[in-house]
Amino acid sequence: MKLHFKLLLTAGACAALAGCSTVSNTAQRLWPFGGDDERQAVASDGERVSILQFEDSVEVSSALAGRPFNLPTPRAVTAWAQPGGTAENAVEHAQAGEAFRIAWRRDIGEGSGRTSQVTSPIVASDGRLFVLDGRNHVSAVDAASGQVVWRHTITNDEQDRRGLFSIGSGGGENQGFGGGVAVSGGRVFVTSGLRVVSALDAATGDVVWTSTVDTPIHGAPTVAGNRIYAIDIDNQVIAFDAATGTQSWSFQAIAEPARILRAASPAIAGEIVIAPFSSGELVALRTSNGQQLWQQVLSRTNRTNALSEIRDIVGRPVVYQGSVYAGSHSGLFAAMDLRSGAPRWQLPIATLNAPWAAGDVIYVVSKAGEVITVNRANGQVYWIYDLNEERQRQEGGVFGLFDRTVRPIWSGPLLATNRLVLVSSEGEAVALDARTGTEQASLNLGGPAYIAPIAYNGMIYVLTDEGQLVAIQ
């Protein structure tokens, strides 16, 4: 059950399953990431797809199948300072990992376990990678060699004294999981499940300031201008002053106990914050004061799958050329106008990942393991590649009865040197042709990976669930 716990908090899922009359269909329905085939309906020429249609799915458009599309030229990425690379969570096309082979592996701290979880994306700046392991250790790692330059442990003395998160050995010492890092202006900003937000000197790891919050933060922060933005587990987005750590403002969305263990970071575009929540809400706020500008709810109930009641927007929203792209676990992926929030098109895709926008298209990975290439203008589909078609397996049955289908969980994509790079819960990294979806290469990472890879200075970096940093050249 480690995999189930890794990505799904079951506080609300159990209640959803208890009220479902179709749970007995097969064990596959119970497994949130083994995925039903969720492809059938397709948006046409900017029109909205009905989210009430029974058994909707996505299909390749006959008008676009086999047609070429534009991608930007690959460019060197000299900083990956935010969880999504930039504040908009849009990098376009990185020049990295051309040989697609392992350069080195390094252990950078604790991996996931019974009381620890590796959930934080890697960030990079000034020749260093900054990573957060499963036990609240922040490390600065030389990007060329993988050597640890400094390490700092995030603590909350008050929480330790109260003995919170004290399951198993080790008492309450720093057991709060989750959080993440971002780097800006010579500082590393760290959020934590220990209810603290900290700023560290990027050169030395020394603490600049620490601010306490009321609720754990499981997602990484986003930094823009003089503010840091983070979302706590009660669906409150908080803005902090980057110089002092003082809270500038907060916005409370609908609290939602049923959520995925992964947590998304906000996107920042100019004076607008795009905040995703586990309630399925996507809210645009003013960066100056947190005033709400617009709201959309990315929620779609599937009557054959009780887990669609988990509406969490797990992947980071992406802002690209005046549009916002985001999808939810419950099965709705949408393009919206940045200024008004008006939907441009919607597709019935359940996803756990941030989409990737580049040129004419946006790539999205369904929770069933399908890479779907969508025309950004109208929502029509160029091609679909099923990563799990040859990778799924049956297990758990007795004498051939009650088997369940197990499919790898995929994280990504990263568009690097004309290839889409994804990593899996089975410890595999794959490269697909970005124009056709043809699988070109595969690597053994040495351990499961649930966090999308990043590109930096010509290399691709992956953090595995066991706390190992892998460099791909």
Side-chain angles (χ1 to χ4, degrees):
M1 294 297 290
K2 178 183 176 183
L3 191 59
H4 183 75
F5 176 72
K6 175 66 192 174
L7 290 177
L8 179 63
L9 294 183
T10 58
C14 292
L17 290 172
C20 179
S21 62
T22 61
V23 170
S24 60
N25 284 347
T26 104
Q28 178 179 335
R29 296 286 189 185
L30 299 177
W31 191 246
F33 312 111
D36 308 323
D37 189 349
E38 300 180 27
R39 307 183 275 114
Q40 281 169 18
V42 61
S44 59
D45 296 328
E47 293 181 356
R48 299 176 67 175
V49 171
S50 169
I51 63 174
L52 300 178
Q53 182 178 336
F54 187 67
E55 296 286 339
D56 281 347
S57 61
V58 178
E59 293 180 344
V60 173
S61 166
S62 59
L64 297 183
R67 293 188 58 180
F69 50 81
N70 176 62
L71 288 177
T73 301
R75 297 183 182 277
V77 175
T78 57
W80 194 287
Q82 311 281 355
T86 67
E88 295 87 1
N89 297 323
V91 176
E92 288 199 310
H93 196 171
Q95 185 174 354
E98 294 184 44
F100 204 66
R101 62 173 181 261
I102 304 294
W104 48 259
R105 293 183 175 94
R106 299 285 187 273
D107 291 325
I108 53 86
E110 296 288 333
S112 294
R114 193 156 61 102
T115 58
S116 60
Q117 299 293 327
V118 176
T119 62
S120 173
I122 307 164
V123 297
S125 180
D126 298 323
R128 293 179 179 178
L129 310 172
F130 299 94
V131 293
L132 179 67
D133 73 358
R135 288 298 179 99
N136 304 294
H137 305 302
V138 183
S139 297
V141 179
D142 181 79
S145 66
Q147 298 302 312
V148 175
V149 180
W150 55 254
R151 177 170 292 157
H152 173 79
T153 302
I154 300 296
T155 61
N156 184 330
D157 294 338
E158 176 62 24
Q159 185 156 296
D160 287 346
R161 285 194 295 271
R162 290 162 58 190
L164 298 181
F165 306 103
S166 58
I167 300 173
S169 61
E173 184 179 356
N174 305 322
Q175 298 286 315
F177 64 83
V181 292
V183 59
S184 178
R187 293 182 178 181
V188 180
F189 300 98
V190 189
T191 53
S192 171
L194 291 172
R195 298 185 173 95
V196 295
V197 178
S198 299
L200 310 178
D201 186 288
T204 64
D206 294 337
V207 177
V208 178
W209 54 255
T210 294
S211 178
T212 59
V213 292
D214 295 331
T215 308
I217 297 175
H218 285 175
T222 304
V223 184
N226 62 347
R227 287 194 176 93
I228 308 155
Y229 305 88
I231 301 172
D232 68 21
I233 64 170
D234 283 344
N235 281 344
Q236 178 181 223
V237 59
I238 309 172
F240 302 86
D241 184 279
T244 65
T246 304
Q247 293 188 24
S248 301
W249 54 260
S250 64
F251 174 87
Q252 181 66 61
I254 298 172
E256 176 58 69
R259 62 189 304 132
I260 308 299
L261 184 58
R262 289 181 187 171
S265 306
I268 314 296
E271 297 301 312
I272 301 176
V273 182
I274 307 296
F277 299 104
S278 64
S279 58
E281 296 172 280
L282 190 71
V283 181
L285 308 167
R286 293 191 186 278
T287 57
S288 58
N289 56 18
Q291 178 185 354
Q292 181 174 321
L293 300 174
W294 55 261
Q295 176 194 49
Q296 286 290 340
V297 179
L298 305 184
S299 178
R300 171 179 178 267
T301 300
N302 182 334
R303 284 177 284 174
T304 67
N305 188 353
L307 287 164
S308 68
E309 292 294 335
I310 300 174
R311 297 177 288 272
D312 204 346
I313 301 175
V314 188
R316 294 177 297 272
V318 169
V319 179
Y320 187 70
Q321 296 188 8
S323 292
V324 179
Y325 302 92
S328 71
H329 173 270
S330 69
L332 188 62
F333 182 78
M336 293 147 282
D337 180 79
L338 172 62
R339 297 296 173 184
S340 67
R344 300 189 189 278
W345 48 260
Q346 297 178 341
L347 290 170
I349 302 171
T351 182
L352 300 168
N353 290 282
W356 188 281
D360 292 341
V361 300
I362 184 155
Y363 299 100
V364 59
V365 181
S366 76
K367 70 177 185 181
E370 297 162 319
V371 182
I372 304 169
T373 305
V374 183
N375 183 289
R376 289 195 309 104
N378 57 29
Q380 294 182 335
V381 175
Y382 284 94
W383 52 258
I384 299 170
Y385 180 74
D386 187 353
L387 288 161
N388 289 334
E389 185 174 9
E390 302 296 331
R391 291 177 170 90
Q392 65 187 24
R393 64 184 187 274
Q394 302 295 123
E395 66 175 36
V398 179
F399 304 116
L401 301 175
F402 309 112
D403 282 356
R404 63 182 175 88
T405 301
V406 177
R407 299 178 176 90
I409 300 166
W410 293 91
S411 299
L414 165 72
L415 178 59
T417 316
N418 296 304
R419 292 182 294 201
L420 295 174
V421 179
L422 302 100
V423 297
S424 83
S425 57
E426 300 292 313
E428 184 181 11
V430 300
L432 309 181
D433 186 298
R435 297 184 185 278
T436 66
T438 304
E439 192 165 328
Q440 296 183 329
S442 175
L443 291 173
N444 181 4
L445 296 172
Y450 296 92
I451 301 170
I454 75 161
Y456 178 62
N457 282 351
M459 303 281 280
I460 295 172
Y461 296 96
V462 180
L463 182 61
T464 74
D465 201 44
E466 296 169 348
Q468 190 171 73
L469 189 61
V470 182
I472 300 172
Q473 61 187 16

